[in-house]
Amino acid sequence: MKKDIISVTYIAVAILLASCGSPSSSNSKAGKWQSFSGEKRIEQRVDSVLKLMTLEEKIGQMTQFSANWSITGPVMSDDFQPYLEKGLIGSIFNATSVEGIRRMQQIAVEKTRLGIPILFGQDVIHGYKTIFPIPLAEACSWDLEMMQRTAEIAAIEAASDGINWTFAPMVDIARDARWGRVMEGAGEDPYLGSKVAEARVIGFQGGRDVNSLNKLTSLLATGKHLAAYGAAESGRDYNTAELSEHTLRNVYLPPYQAAKEAGVGTFMAAFNEINGVPATADRWLMTEVLRNEWGFNGFVVTDYTGTNELVPHGVAKDEKHAAELAVNAGIDMDMTGASFIKYLAESVEEGKVSEKRIDLAVRHILEMKFLLGLFDDPYRYLDEERARQNTMTPEFMETARKAVASSVVLLKNENQILPITQESGKTIALVGPLMNDSINLNGEWAGLGDRNKSVPILKGLTEKYAGSTVKLIYAEGSSITGTTPAKIAEAVAAVRRSDIVIAAMGEDFNWSGEAAVRTDIRLPEPQRELLNALKTTGKPVVLVSLSGRPLDLSWEDKNMNTILQAWFPGTQAGHGIADVIAGDYNPSARLVMSFPRNVGQIPIYYNQKNTGRPADLNNESVDYKSSYLDTSITPLYPFGYGLSYTTFEINHVNIDKKALKTKNDKITVTADVCNTGAVDGEIVVQLYTRQLVASVTRPVKELKGFQKISLKAGESKQVEFEVTSDDLAFYGIDMHKKAEPGNMKLWVAQHAADNSNEIDFLME
Ligand code: BGC
């Protein structure tokens, strides 16, 4: 069946590909092209296609369009259909469903001169149909294996539906909770962010080896958004990122570089500018750093209309000029803006862009199509039966449920109100706008996840306690943004008949994500009003907070007895949260973004600089110190923080030697970790260091290692960390990365503000 529909032109190309291939036919040196896979045969195959192509066809490969949607699925917009029919499109995104994709692929392969297959992209961010917790939540699990697996599952589902390429992972460091896109990343830390970037790239691409892309279960991944998109001033989306090269290299770039090292096939240019240059036009970033320093050989796509936006940015006089700037900076593909296809041929004729540069971009793109096997069989991903079998399977559901439970952070648990076991005999009042909601649970960027299929918390708890001694009473109490005295009275009456209240409160799902910025990050007023009323009953209140960002929970911290930060948990929300509430899963998540005391503290992050006038945290005096008159400088809940139903102690921290050399040396750190409580649990043991003196100022703490371990009640284990001189290297005054001599400290800690185990050592 597949063979039958391969067109005559396509066969002609295929024969050519099979027969051409003497090393002399490779033109790679001229274009300074080094194959991504390093494979000579691929180089030759790419060159064999390239030499058949007209300039216009080449520019077509550098062009991506977005498919439109109708109620029944993707439709072709008139805007791009003519380009498709002429073989002038390299990639289409948002064309979902096997049937829709087949229709478009058939045109490209059977109706165009060369029959070059299309690359189909999609934002598969935290699941495709099975939706996992938002990436920020998943990162709180500190469970890299699990994050790799959820990316793998997302890839299996999407690739089975005909998708080849995901615009993920988003690896932007995020220090500003106002910015709605914090939900898409791994938080504020470059070390953890790099590990998560690596796990997600390997998950999506099906392995570290680029040949994994050939599996029918993998997607080409995208490291985005290069660079420092998360540093948008005042958290306002798309805003200028004003930061030094020092901060860029030491803080923001490491996760992108980790994605590159993990073999990511593509990068996406950010919308923002740095140093006066929008990323899409930034030759230094896209060519000097990405290609020449890091040796990246995949391809770079703009963000949505990123090229056209160079005009309002004020660096291009018109869209033609914008296209020239982008391509000359090192961009290979234009997402949706159509400025390449409209103007680049003319720019080449005028000598403003070289054909060599165009060839290079096209090589990068064609290589990915070869690695994905699209030239061998453009329909290989299109099989309805495979799509059915690989969607929302019981195994995917089980992984999703575990992902929810391991992403929920227990922030407060006065008098051990949680867990509420099935044997407890309690009556629980269940209230709040998100208690019986399924629409919001997937959060933003939820792929093709059916919002009606996500398990409400009410359903999860009802099933959990069915047939047990626990009784449940439900009263909504308020919607996300409004309440009435009658609704509040109904909820209060339910509470009076109960022993405990669980209130599921939080944000609407589209209050985070792209262009979703808030300057007031508290719970909406009506929800706080409801919580206040619940509190007056004197019954213990458990707040389950659902949000796409760290909220200002200062009032709740003072007034609620227990707080569970559940983020947006996805398809299995209700079940995973119920597992935690009933104690079938002992919370093990730890924050990856600091929670502020109020919005005025933002940006707030643990790895800040000391300043020349550091505030003394033990002394309330604020005179001429780097502090506030009206609040503490510390966060409400620090990075790395999270409680468990048990307690842990870390003791006997030792290092094998007191000094290490700046090159090729290492220290080994050991510590005893004990579960001092009555139930089994997991702890994330965190290793932080500080360099006290260097050629440039250094953060007061930096995460350099972590281990998530399980301990039975009463059990002790020794953990061991190796810290190399390379791990302690940074970009100093000369902007070269190396370790510098100086006094150092290290901590083996339960979170970033835990100073209990401090050790001095020396870098010589
Ligand atoms: C976002 C990207 C996304 C793209 C395609 C843009 O607006 O910034 O992250 O991949 O749209 O949907």
Side-chain angles (χ1 to χ4, degrees):
M1 152 73 178
K2 278 179 193 151
K3 290 259 151 45
D4 295 341
I5 50 177
I6 292 179
S7 70
V8 178
T9 37
Y10 183 72
I11 291 171
V13 174
I15 291 170
L16 220 132
L17 297 177
S19 57
C20 66
S22 71
S24 59
S25 71
S26 166
N27 188 28
S28 60
K29 293 230 167 50
K32 258 174 100 193
W33 181 51
Q34 210 184 350
S35 150
F36 178 75
S37 62
E39 216 196 287
K40 205 79 207 150
R41 195 180 62 97
I42 293 263
E43 276 184 51
Q44 291 159 1
R45 294 186 80 186
V46 167
D47 281 333
S48 73
V49 178
L50 192 70
K51 69 184 186 194
L52 300 175
M53 298 173 78
T54 62
L55 177 62
E56 206 191 7
E57 284 164 343
K58 290 176 187 171
I59 296 167
Q61 283 304 302
M62 298 165 69
T63 298
Q64 183 187 53
F65 282 102
S66 168
N68 288 344
W69 278 84
S70 76
I71 293 261
T72 49
V75 289
M76 257 174 272
S77 107
D78 290 345
D79 286 340
F80 79 79
Q81 176 127 7
Y83 292 109
L84 181 61
E85 284 166 0
K86 284 194 222 146
L88 299 181
I89 294 187
S91 172
I92 294 176
F93 79 101
N94 282 348
T96 327
S97 89
V98 169
E99 198 215 320
I101 291 177
R102 181 180 290 121
R103 265 198 331 255
M104 295 185 190
Q105 193 70 295
Q106 271 172 346
I107 298 175
V109 168
E110 297 172 35
K111 302 248 160 41
T112 70
R113 199 178 74 88
L114 293 177
I116 297 175
I118 301 272
L119 188 60
F120 288 93
Q122 182 90 11
D123 288 288
V124 183
I125 309 290
H126 54 112
Y128 183 68
K129 290 194 175 162
T130 304
I131 302 302
F132 299 101
I134 57 170
L136 182 68
E138 257 196 14
C140 290
S141 72
W142 298 58
D143 184 343
L144 299 172
E145 228 173 86
M146 187 198 72
M147 287 182 252
Q148 183 176 322
R149 182 64 190 148
T150 61
E152 250 162 39
I153 292 174
I156 294 170
E157 282 190 346
S160 302
D161 217 20
I163 307 294
N164 317 120
W165 178 19
T166 175
F167 310 131
M170 188 275 231
V171 301
D172 305 324
I173 292 293
R175 294 171 156 187
D176 190 329
R178 292 168 297 184
W179 189 50
R181 299 197 79 168
V182 302
M183 58 139 308
E184 289 171 61
E188 72 192 36
D189 184 63
Y191 177 85
L192 180 65
S194 299
K195 296 284 177 203
V196 174
E198 182 185 16
R200 289 187 170 144
V201 167
I202 293 173
F204 285 130
Q205 296 198 162
R208 206 177 255 284
D209 177 354
V210 290
N211 291 312
S212 313
L213 287 173
N214 199 263
K215 294 186 210 162
L216 282 175
T217 48
S218 51
L219 296 175
L220 183 59
T222 309
K224 75 183 190 187
H225 308 81
L226 192 65
Y229 182 35
E233 273 183 358
S234 64
R236 184 153 54 80
D237 214 353
Y238 319 122
N239 204 4
T240 304
E242 187 56 52
L243 77 175
S244 61
E245 185 177 345
H246 168 84
T247 302
L248 181 68
R249 287 189 180 274
N250 283 316
V251 179
Y252 285 86
L253 290 185
Y256 307 103
Q257 195 169 4
K260 187 265 153 193
E261 293 305 319
V264 77
T266 74
F267 275 98
M268 185 184 290
F271 284 126
N272 59 284
E273 66 160 88
I274 302 173
N275 212 13
V277 188
T280 311
D282 194 342
R283 193 174 185 288
W284 175 77
L285 187 61
M286 296 302 164
T287 300
E288 292 306 322
V289 175
L290 182 62
R291 304 252 177 220
N292 301 347
E293 265 184 45
W294 297 358
F296 175 66
N297 292 313
F299 76 82
V300 182
V301 65
T302 67
D303 204 340
Y304 201 106
T305 62
T307 309
N308 317 57
E309 290 171 30
L310 296 178
V311 178
H313 263 299
V315 295
K317 61 177 188 286
D318 52 28
E319 287 187 356
K320 181 172 172 221
H321 185 203
E324 289 160 7
L325 285 175
V327 171
N328 287 334
I331 300 289
D332 301 308
M333 187 181 277
D334 183 26
M335 182 187 273
T336 69
S339 59
F340 287 12
I341 195 71
K342 284 188 192 149
Y343 307 110
L344 274 185
E346 213 176 298
S347 304
V348 171
E349 272 160 35
E350 290 165 3
K352 292 188 177 133
V353 172
S354 73
E355 191 158 355
K356 223 159 105 179
R357 171 66 196 105
I358 302 282
D359 285 357
L360 185 61
V362 178
R363 282 197 179 96
H364 290 145
I365 295 162
L366 292 180
E367 176 168 13
M368 291 307 160
K369 295 189 177 185
F370 274 108
L371 288 171
L372 288 159
L374 288 170
F375 273 102
D376 299 311
D377 178 358
Y379 303 104
R380 66 196 294 263
Y381 293 91
L382 303 174
D383 175 346
E384 276 88 353
E385 186 45 37
R386 204 167 60 88
R388 258 190 301 280
Q389 280 170 12
N390 283 320
T391 301
M392 300 184 92
T393 68
E395 190 236 312
F396 298 174
M397 291 300 133
E398 203 184 305
T399 306
R401 181 172 183 156
K402 166 89 196 299
V404 176
S406 56
S407 303
V408 170
V409 191
L410 182 63
L411 296 175
K412 181 177 178 187
N413 195 17
E414 208 172 79
N415 304 325
Q416 308 231 312
I417 289 166
L418 289 187
I420 309 169
T421 63
Q422 281 144 318
E423 300 78 41
S424 64
K426 302 270 194 237
T427 299
I428 315 174
L430 303 176
V431 301
L434 295 166
M435 181 54 77
N436 194 22
D437 169 273
S438 61
I439 301 301
N440 287 290
L441 298 177
N442 285 355
E444 261 294 4
W445 292 114
L448 263 67
D450 182 344
R451 293 189 179 276
N452 294 305
K453 281 195 183 152
S454 299
V455 181
I457 302 174
L458 180 62
K459 182 163 190 246
L461 290 170
T462 306
E463 285 182 22
K464 174 65 72 182
Y465 292 116
S468 80
T469 60
V470 171
K471 284 201 195 62
L472 304 175
I473 310 174
Y474 170 66
E476 190 192 34
S478 98
S479 70
I480 290 178
T481 52
T483 188
T484 59
K487 279 183 126 187
I488 291 186
E490 188 198 1
V492 167
V495 173
R496 293 206 195 281
R497 288 185 281 133
S498 312
D499 303 301
I500 302 177
V501 193
I502 301 179
M505 307 289 209
E507 297 185 306
D508 190 288
F509 81 87
N510 53 32
W511 292 0
S512 56
E514 188 172 349
V517 180
R518 296 181 69 203
T519 57
D520 180 350
I521 55 169
R522 291 173 299 170
L523 285 178
E525 180 63 39
Q527 297 190 44
R528 274 184 285 132
E529 203 186 315
L530 174 60
L531 286 178
N532 214 6
L534 302 177
K535 188 191 156 208
T536 58
T537 63
K539 301 283 168 71
V541 186
V542 175
L543 169 66
V544 179
S545 157
L546 293 112
S547 62
R549 57 163 58 75
L551 296 175
D552 164 1
L553 294 176
S554 303
W555 182 87
E556 291 76 5
D557 182 66
K558 266 199 212 94
N559 293 288
M560 300 292 104
N561 307 85
T562 290
I563 305 177
L564 263 186
Q565 176 61 35
W567 311 105
F568 286 120
T571 308
Q572 287 288 302
H575 290 316
I577 291 174
D579 289 343
V580 171
I581 289 178
D584 293 336
Y585 184 92
N586 188 351
S588 66
R590 303 290 185 267
L591 296 178
V592 297
M593 271 187 90
S594 309
F595 271 48
R597 292 177 190 275
N598 66 52
V599 79
Q601 285 185 314
I602 291 175
I604 184 165
Y605 44 92
Y606 83 94
N607 43 359
Q608 59 182 309
K609 301 293 186 66
N610 202 37
T611 81
R613 294 187 175 196
D616 177 356
L617 300 181
N618 301 317
N619 175 353
E620 290 300 298
S621 150
V622 294
D623 275 357
Y624 299 98
K625 299 284 193 232
S626 181
S627 58
Y628 299 107
L629 288 177
D630 56 358
T631 194
S632 156
I633 63 162
T634 62
L636 180 65
Y637 306 118
F639 175 86
Y641 171 81
L643 301 174
S644 157
Y645 295 149
T646 186
T647 46
F648 298 97
E649 264 176 29
I650 300 176
N651 292 307
H652 309 124
V653 178
N654 276 307
I655 48 177
D656 63 339
K657 54 188 189 197
K658 280 281 182 189
L660 83 165
K661 300 197 172 45
T662 53
K663 276 194 194 136
N664 304 326
D665 205 355
K666 61 172 192 213
I667 49 169
T668 303
V669 183
T670 52
D672 292 338
V673 186
C674 181
N675 179 343
T676 48
V679 288
D680 304 350
E682 287 170 278
I683 174 174
V684 180
V685 187
Q686 301 160 39
L687 180 107
Y688 294 91
T689 63
R690 174 175 180 184
Q691 175 136 13
L692 293 164
V693 182
S695 64
V696 291
T697 59
R698 303 294 299 136
V700 293
K701 256 183 198 176
E702 288 180 283
L703 184 72
K704 292 293 177 188
F706 64 88
Q707 288 177 36
K708 187 167 188 174
I709 56 167
S710 336
L711 290 170
K712 301 232 166 294
E715 191 190 4
S716 263
K717 267 187 200 160
Q718 190 180 67
V719 292
E720 187 176 304
F721 293 95
E722 211 168 69
V723 184
T724 68
S725 21
D726 275 356
D727 294 335
L728 300 172
F730 57 92
Y731 290 87
I733 195 86
D734 59 359
M735 213 48 87
H736 283 107
K737 191 173 182 191
K738 56 180 181 303
E740 291 185 12
N743 289 341
M744 313 276 303
K745 281 188 185 300
L746 71 79
W747 298 263
V748 180
Q750 303 209 38
H751 54 77
D754 170 10
N755 294 325
S756 45
N757 288 292
E758 181 178 295
I759 292 204
D760 294 316
F761 69 108
L762 186 68
M763 179 76 85
E764 351 174 89

